Every structure is written in C-alpha cells, then in structure tokens.
Amino acid sequence: MKKKIAIIGSGISGLAAAAYASKAGHDVHVFEKNSIPGGRARQFKTENGYTFDMGPSWYWMPDIINDFFNDFGYEASDFYQLIALNPQFEMIFADSQLAVPKEYSELKVLFESLEKGAGKKLDAFMKAAQYKYEVGMKEFVQKPCHSWLEFVSPKIAMSAFKLDLLSDFRSYVKKYFSDARLQTLMEFPVIFLGAAPQHIPALYSLMNYGGYALGTWYPMGGFYQLILAMKKIGEQQGVQFHFNQAVEKIVAKDKKVTSIISNETEHFFDAVIASSDYHHTETLLEKNKQNYDENYWKSRTFAPSCLIYYLGFTEQIPNLKHHTLFFENELDDHIDAIYKDKKWPKKPLFYACCPSKTDAGVAPKGHENVFLLMPVATGIEDDEAIREQYFLEMIKRLEKHTGSRHLIDKIDYKKSYCVRDFVQDYNAYQGNAYGLANTLSQTAVLKPSIKNKKLNNLFYTGQLTVPGPGVPPSIISGKIAANEINTII
C-alpha cells in the first residue's frame, strides 16, 4: 500500500533511503535544512573559479557504491567517470615517504623492499581481508541489527573465527609486519572508523582490501557527482525534495509519528526516516519518546571532528600528489589527543587532498585546489586563533615536503571549517565529523537502534547507527532503513 514518507536530511544515507523507499512505491518527501543536497558531502564553488568538495574525498569500495546504481538498473559510469589514482596516495614520514601504487603487484614489491618476506605476508593479509570484505560488506553490515539472532546463519557462524571480531586491529597487523612504516600504512584506514587501532576489531582489515586492493578512485567533477547521481535516481523514482526546510519538531501520538513541523508548517506523514544527526533527531521528540537520554550519548565513543582548510593557490604546487598523508609525528600521540585527552594535538598529523592534480576543472588554469584536513577531538574549543595556529603549521610542512616557498603569499582563496561549523550546518553532536566509532562495544546490535523503540513508524539512518561511518556504509544504512519501512506497512 502506498504511504507518504518523510526523510529528514539529504546526506548520503538520506538520499539512499529516499530512492529505495520511493522504488518500493511510496510517496517520498525529503526535507533538507541546507540549500543543496549532500550533507557532509556537499560541494561549493567560489567566484574566482574553484570547486571544493566539502567532505568525503576517498572513493573506496567502488563495488559497494556501484551496487546502489545496479539496484536501479544503472552503473556508476552512467553518471560520472571514475579515474584510478596512481599512486593511490603518498604517506610522508619523518625520514622517508611511501607512495602506494595502483597495481597490487607493485605494492608487493614495495612491501618486500621495506621488510624481507613482507610481500608474501601481504598476500596472506589481503587474502584474509578479502574474505572479511566479502562476508562483512555483503552480509554482516546488511542487517538491521535488532537482535543478535540476525547473525545466526550457517555462513556467518562458520565465518566467526575468520572474521576476527575479538582481535584488535593493532595486534593483528603486528602479526604480519614488523616495519613501523608498514604497520602505520596498514593502520591508517581504520582512522576513518573513529577509534585507536588497538580498540578497533581486526574485522576491519576489510578496509585495507576495499582500499589498497580494489583501488583508490576519483569521480571527475568531484565527489559531489555521486550526490547528484543519487539525487537524480531519487527524482526518477518520484522523490520530491524540499530545501531550506529545517525540521523543528517530530509530532507523535500514542505509538506513532503523525507529522513533522518544518519552517513552522505542519506536514502529515505515515512514516519518517531521519538521516539527520541521531542525537539531534531525538531532541525533536518529546523526552518520553526518545530512545536514549543525554547520559547515553555522553558515554559513547565518537569518531573525530576535524579542522579543514579549503585553499586556492595561484600556481601549481610541485611534488604533491592527489592524496598525501603527513605522518611525520607519532600516530599514537595524535590519537591520544583525540580520544583520551580530548584536546588539540601538540604534534598533529594531517591530510592534504589536491584534486586539481587529477581534475583540471576544479581550479582556474595554472592554479591549484588544496584541501587540508586534521582530525581533532569532538566538543573541544574552536576559535579562529586556534585554527590559524594549525593552519600555519600545516602550510610549513606542505612547503617542506613540496619544496615550495612562500605558499601563503600565493593563496587566492581560503576558508576554514571546524567543530562549530559541523554543529551549525549539520546539528552534529559535539561537532563530530565521522559519526560513532566502530569499536567492539559499539558494533552491530550495540549501536544506536535503527528503529525508535516507542514509535513504530520512526527510523534512523546514517553514521550514528548501523552499519557505521563512511560513504558505502551510509548507502547501506539508507537501504536498510527503507526496507524497515516496508515491514510496518
């Protein structure tokens, strides 16, 4: 039976939920507080010719993303051109640097050059990681996680040992590699999951396979091409989008949501999927209708926020790759600042993205487009003076690596983005950028529920619920939420 469904927020999970719910035959309306779709994956253009993706920049797990398009009879290539990056990225250490090649055979040679026998060990690591990827991403993360009984299947039961759910990622990596640079290289992907490697299940070695083995890609025109494609598919299914519409209240009676109030206007719906920040969504309900109280959220481990600088330079910067990781300082010191001390790091690590190395269209001719990102703790003090302090350090290290001089004098566009901006633009709890950390105690059924426990037609989707943070998981989360709608109608 056709029902009228509201989606709150047009981030990746909201776009996915809208498309799948509309495909199932429902009348779907998306309410977005900002003027364009995408949430954290928005894009903006400057008057002097730069195009900046505001959030995601690593196009990993291309098969999972393509599964979304396949579900609607398309391929990702029907909407945008994907370029395989070579090298995939470069990692800068205090006394050396590593460029991760596109070809796996070359990656093995690199590993062997740094540690005798590491090439064969990489094969063994990736074979196990591929298994986890195929079971984890194709089955494990597809569950709504109402109960552990969902995981009682012969395949998952037989896979339990191989999935390494009870081993920590750091110890797991050390079983394979002794060289500190290789250990850091293999630990790097789990930083996206929002916790220290020693607190992340070894299951997530699947990230290494989804990245290093399947490749690092770039959609020409920027990551926002994915957003535009998802929106177009939604519209083809009949989804209606309402922008500049901040939802102020979710109205419920007895055990059902009856309406939402947006811009002081009431809109009636048969069901609601909230792609907005989970904690914020709960504040739109009466307290006795919320799944979790404030103490619950305070007890959770959140993935980091970040300090971002969007920069335009009047000349091209030599010796800079599309993706560059500046890891000259100790990883653990920065991680401790984020999770243990909850303070700005003394010796930070950071990431530079330079899409104009691949896509000339994102900067004026002869110019360079650079995005600097430094992970920071959620909820910390954020002012312009602190931002500028770290900006100057990042620029200094960028100059040292590239051999460029006086880069500050060559900037013709500069914009910063940090904790308070995540709160303002996305109502992000404590300004988190990446959602809830994928620690063992916050995995699957132990994550915030995808369904409201007191209202039978309110569901949640996105990086604060199952399956977790990241672009492919957010797409999957939207699909799960849309499927859940069908179980109550």
Side-chain angles (χ1 to χ4, degrees), residues 31-47:
F31 290 79
E32 168 58 54
K33 74 185 289 285
N34 294 305
S35 60
I36 60 173
R40 287 166 170 78
R42 289 181 298 159
Q43 187 181 79
F44 71 92
K45 298 179 184 290
T46 70
E47 291 182 357

PDB file of all heavy atoms in Angstrom, residues 31-47:
ATOM      1  N   PHE A  31      13.259  16.475   3.373  1.00  0.00           N
ATOM      2  CA  PHE A  31      13.360  17.817   3.954  1.00  0.00           C
ATOM      3  C   PHE A  31      14.815  18.073   4.333  1.00  0.00           C
ATOM      4  O   PHE A  31      15.399  17.350   5.146  1.00  0.00           O
ATOM      5  CB  PHE A  31      12.456  17.944   5.183  1.00  0.00           C
ATOM      6  CG  PHE A  31      10.994  17.942   4.851  1.00  0.00           C
ATOM      7  CD1 PHE A  31      10.329  16.752   4.579  1.00  0.00           C
ATOM      8  CD2 PHE A  31      10.284  19.128   4.785  1.00  0.00           C
ATOM      9  CE1 PHE A  31       8.983  16.739   4.247  1.00  0.00           C
ATOM     10  CE2 PHE A  31       8.926  19.127   4.454  1.00  0.00           C
ATOM     11  CZ  PHE A  31       8.274  17.931   4.186  1.00  0.00           C
ATOM     12  N   GLU A  32      15.409  19.109   3.751  1.00  0.00           N
ATOM     13  CA  GLU A  32      16.822  19.416   3.949  1.00  0.00           C
ATOM     14  C   GLU A  32      16.976  20.849   4.455  1.00  0.00           C
ATOM     15  O   GLU A  32      16.433  21.785   3.847  1.00  0.00           O
ATOM     16  CB  GLU A  32      17.580  19.232   2.627  1.00  0.00           C
ATOM     17  CG  GLU A  32      18.985  19.775   2.599  1.00  0.00           C
ATOM     18  CD  GLU A  32      19.878  19.176   3.685  1.00  0.00           C
ATOM     19  OE1 GLU A  32      19.979  17.933   3.760  1.00  0.00           O
ATOM     20  OE2 GLU A  32      20.465  19.962   4.459  1.00  0.00           O
ATOM     21  N   LYS A  33      17.691  21.020   5.561  1.00  0.00           N
ATOM     22  CA  LYS A  33      17.848  22.355   6.138  1.00  0.00           C
ATOM     23  C   LYS A  33      18.742  23.263   5.299  1.00  0.00           C
ATOM     24  O   LYS A  33      18.613  24.492   5.341  1.00  0.00           O
ATOM     25  CB  LYS A  33      18.398  22.261   7.572  1.00  0.00           C
ATOM     26  CG  LYS A  33      19.869  21.893   7.673  1.00  0.00           C
ATOM     27  CD  LYS A  33      20.307  21.703   9.129  1.00  0.00           C
ATOM     28  CE  LYS A  33      20.363  22.985   9.910  1.00  0.00           C
ATOM     29  NZ  LYS A  33      21.544  23.822   9.550  1.00  0.00           N
ATOM     30  N   ASN A  34      19.666  22.667   4.530  1.00  0.00           N
ATOM     31  CA  ASN A  34      20.551  23.460   3.688  1.00  0.00           C
ATOM     32  C   ASN A  34      19.944  23.670   2.300  1.00  0.00           C
ATOM     33  O   ASN A  34      18.897  23.111   1.980  1.00  0.00           O
ATOM     34  CB  ASN A  34      21.926  22.785   3.596  1.00  0.00           C
ATOM     35  CG  ASN A  34      22.633  22.776   4.947  1.00  0.00           C
ATOM     36  OD1 ASN A  34      22.819  23.820   5.572  1.00  0.00           O
ATOM     37  ND2 ASN A  34      23.027  21.593   5.415  1.00  0.00           N
ATOM     38  N   SER A  35      20.616  24.466   1.484  1.00  0.00           N
ATOM     39  CA  SER A  35      20.051  24.847   0.183  1.00  0.00           C
ATOM     40  C   SER A  35      20.323  23.828  -0.919  1.00  0.00           C
ATOM     41  O   SER A  35      19.740  23.917  -2.000  1.00  0.00           O
ATOM     42  CB  SER A  35      20.597  26.215  -0.242  1.00  0.00           C
ATOM     43  OG  SER A  35      22.012  26.172  -0.354  1.00  0.00           O
ATOM     44  N   ILE A  36      21.223  22.878  -0.655  1.00  0.00           N
ATOM     45  CA  ILE A  36      21.556  21.853  -1.645  1.00  0.00           C
ATOM     46  C   ILE A  36      21.650  20.499  -0.948  1.00  0.00           C
ATOM     47  O   ILE A  36      21.811  20.433   0.276  1.00  0.00           O
ATOM     48  CB  ILE A  36      22.891  22.157  -2.376  1.00  0.00           C
ATOM     49  CG1 ILE A  36      24.050  22.236  -1.375  1.00  0.00           C
ATOM     50  CG2 ILE A  36      22.791  23.429  -3.199  1.00  0.00           C
ATOM     51  CD1 ILE A  36      25.413  22.355  -2.022  1.00  0.00           C
ATOM     52  N   PRO A  37      21.568  19.402  -1.698  1.00  0.00           N
ATOM     53  CA  PRO A  37      21.675  18.081  -1.085  1.00  0.00           C
ATOM     54  C   PRO A  37      23.132  17.715  -0.774  1.00  0.00           C
ATOM     55  O   PRO A  37      24.054  18.386  -1.228  1.00  0.00           O
ATOM     56  CB  PRO A  37      21.113  17.149  -2.170  1.00  0.00           C
ATOM     57  CG  PRO A  37      21.476  17.840  -3.445  1.00  0.00           C
ATOM     58  CD  PRO A  37      21.325  19.312  -3.159  1.00  0.00           C
ATOM     59  N   GLY A  38      23.291  16.636  -0.005  1.00  0.00           N
ATOM     60  CA  GLY A  38      24.633  16.095   0.200  1.00  0.00           C
ATOM     61  C   GLY A  38      25.093  16.024   1.632  1.00  0.00           C
ATOM     62  O   GLY A  38      25.970  15.235   1.958  1.00  0.00           O
ATOM     63  N   GLY A  39      24.530  16.877   2.510  1.00  0.00           N
ATOM     64  CA  GLY A  39      25.008  16.859   3.888  1.00  0.00           C
ATOM     65  C   GLY A  39      26.500  17.133   3.936  1.00  0.00           C
ATOM     66  O   GLY A  39      26.998  18.065   3.296  1.00  0.00           O
ATOM     67  N   ARG A  40      27.231  16.281   4.659  1.00  0.00           N
ATOM     68  CA  ARG A  40      28.676  16.469   4.768  1.00  0.00           C
ATOM     69  C   ARG A  40      29.384  16.334   3.417  1.00  0.00           C
ATOM     70  O   ARG A  40      30.536  16.738   3.291  1.00  0.00           O
ATOM     71  CB  ARG A  40      29.258  15.444   5.748  1.00  0.00           C
ATOM     72  CG  ARG A  40      28.944  15.735   7.210  1.00  0.00           C
ATOM     73  CD  ARG A  40      29.245  14.502   8.051  1.00  0.00           C
ATOM     74  NE  ARG A  40      29.202  14.760   9.481  1.00  0.00           N
ATOM     75  CZ  ARG A  40      28.086  14.861  10.202  1.00  0.00           C
ATOM     76  NH1 ARG A  40      26.911  14.711   9.600  1.00  0.00           N
ATOM     77  NH2 ARG A  40      28.134  15.083  11.495  1.00  0.00           N
ATOM     78  N   ALA A  41      28.715  15.761   2.448  1.00  0.00           N
ATOM     79  CA  ALA A  41      29.308  15.580   1.113  1.00  0.00           C
ATOM     80  C   ALA A  41      28.889  16.679   0.147  1.00  0.00           C
ATOM     81  O   ALA A  41      28.873  16.490  -1.067  1.00  0.00           O
ATOM     82  CB  ALA A  41      28.931  14.217   0.555  1.00  0.00           C
ATOM     83  N   ARG A  42      28.568  17.854   0.674  1.00  0.00           N
ATOM     84  CA  ARG A  42      28.213  18.977  -0.202  1.00  0.00           C
ATOM     85  C   ARG A  42      29.437  19.475  -0.977  1.00  0.00           C
ATOM     86  O   ARG A  42      30.563  19.082  -0.731  1.00  0.00           O
ATOM     87  CB  ARG A  42      27.636  20.135   0.621  1.00  0.00           C
ATOM     88  CG  ARG A  42      26.251  19.865   1.196  1.00  0.00           C
ATOM     89  CD  ARG A  42      25.751  21.071   1.969  1.00  0.00           C
ATOM     90  NE  ARG A  42      26.615  21.381   3.105  1.00  0.00           N
ATOM     91  CZ  ARG A  42      26.661  22.565   3.706  1.00  0.00           C
ATOM     92  NH1 ARG A  42      25.907  23.564   3.275  1.00  0.00           N
ATOM     93  NH2 ARG A  42      27.464  22.761   4.744  1.00  0.00           N
ATOM     94  N   GLN A  43      29.185  20.381  -1.885  1.00  0.00           N
ATOM     95  CA  GLN A  43      30.238  20.993  -2.692  1.00  0.00           C
ATOM     96  C   GLN A  43      29.937  22.487  -2.806  1.00  0.00           C
ATOM     97  O   GLN A  43      28.776  22.899  -2.773  1.00  0.00           O
ATOM     98  CB  GLN A  43      30.254  20.357  -4.089  1.00  0.00           C
ATOM     99  CG  GLN A  43      31.398  20.782  -4.989  1.00  0.00           C
ATOM    100  CD  GLN A  43      31.328  20.113  -6.355  1.00  0.00           C
ATOM    101  OE1 GLN A  43      30.561  20.524  -7.220  1.00  0.00           O
ATOM    102  NE2 GLN A  43      32.121  19.059  -6.557  1.00  0.00           N
ATOM    103  N   PHE A  44      30.972  23.283  -2.893  1.00  0.00           N
ATOM    104  CA  PHE A  44      30.729  24.703  -3.160  1.00  0.00           C
ATOM    105  C   PHE A  44      31.729  25.207  -4.199  1.00  0.00           C
ATOM    106  O   PHE A  44      32.824  24.656  -4.368  1.00  0.00           O
ATOM    107  CB  PHE A  44      30.786  25.541  -1.879  1.00  0.00           C
ATOM    108  CG  PHE A  44      32.160  25.719  -1.270  1.00  0.00           C
ATOM    109  CD1 PHE A  44      32.957  26.808  -1.597  1.00  0.00           C
ATOM    110  CD2 PHE A  44      32.648  24.800  -0.337  1.00  0.00           C
ATOM    111  CE1 PHE A  44      34.215  26.983  -1.039  1.00  0.00           C
ATOM    112  CE2 PHE A  44      33.900  24.966   0.240  1.00  0.00           C
ATOM    113  CZ  PHE A  44      34.687  26.055  -0.109  1.00  0.00           C
ATOM    114  N   LYS A  45      31.304  26.238  -4.908  1.00  0.00           N
ATOM    115  CA  LYS A  45      32.132  26.863  -5.932  1.00  0.00           C
ATOM    116  C   LYS A  45      32.407  28.308  -5.531  1.00  0.00           C
ATOM    117  O   LYS A  45      31.543  28.974  -4.969  1.00  0.00           O
ATOM    118  CB  LYS A  45      31.419  26.824  -7.294  1.00  0.00           C
ATOM    119  CG  LYS A  45      31.141  25.412  -7.809  1.00  0.00           C
ATOM    120  CD  LYS A  45      30.401  25.437  -9.145  1.00  0.00           C
ATOM    121  CE  LYS A  45      30.037  24.041  -9.615  1.00  0.00           C
ATOM    122  NZ  LYS A  45      31.226  23.266 -10.026  1.00  0.00           N
ATOM    123  N   THR A  46      33.600  28.778  -5.816  1.00  0.00           N
ATOM    124  CA  THR A  46      33.971  30.149  -5.470  1.00  0.00           C
ATOM    125  C   THR A  46      33.827  31.052  -6.688  1.00  0.00           C
ATOM    126  O   THR A  46      33.822  30.586  -7.833  1.00  0.00           O
ATOM    127  CB  THR A  46      35.424  30.218  -4.962  1.00  0.00           C
ATOM    128  OG1 THR A  46      36.324  29.964  -6.057  1.00  0.00           O
ATOM    129  CG2 THR A  46      35.662  29.178  -3.863  1.00  0.00           C
ATOM    130  N   GLU A  47      33.752  32.343  -6.433  1.00  0.00           N
ATOM    131  CA  GLU A  47      33.610  33.300  -7.524  1.00  0.00           C
ATOM    132  C   GLU A  47      34.852  33.342  -8.415  1.00  0.00           C
ATOM    133  O   GLU A  47      34.762  33.713  -9.590  1.00  0.00           O
ATOM    134  CB  GLU A  47      33.329  34.697  -6.958  1.00  0.00           C
ATOM    135  CG  GLU A  47      31.949  34.818  -6.300  1.00  0.00           C
ATOM    136  CD  GLU A  47      31.687  36.236  -5.803  1.00  0.00           C
ATOM    137  OE1 GLU A  47      32.606  37.075  -5.921  1.00  0.00           O
ATOM    138  OE2 GLU A  47      30.567  36.483  -5.307  1.00  0.00           O
TER     139      GLU A  47
END
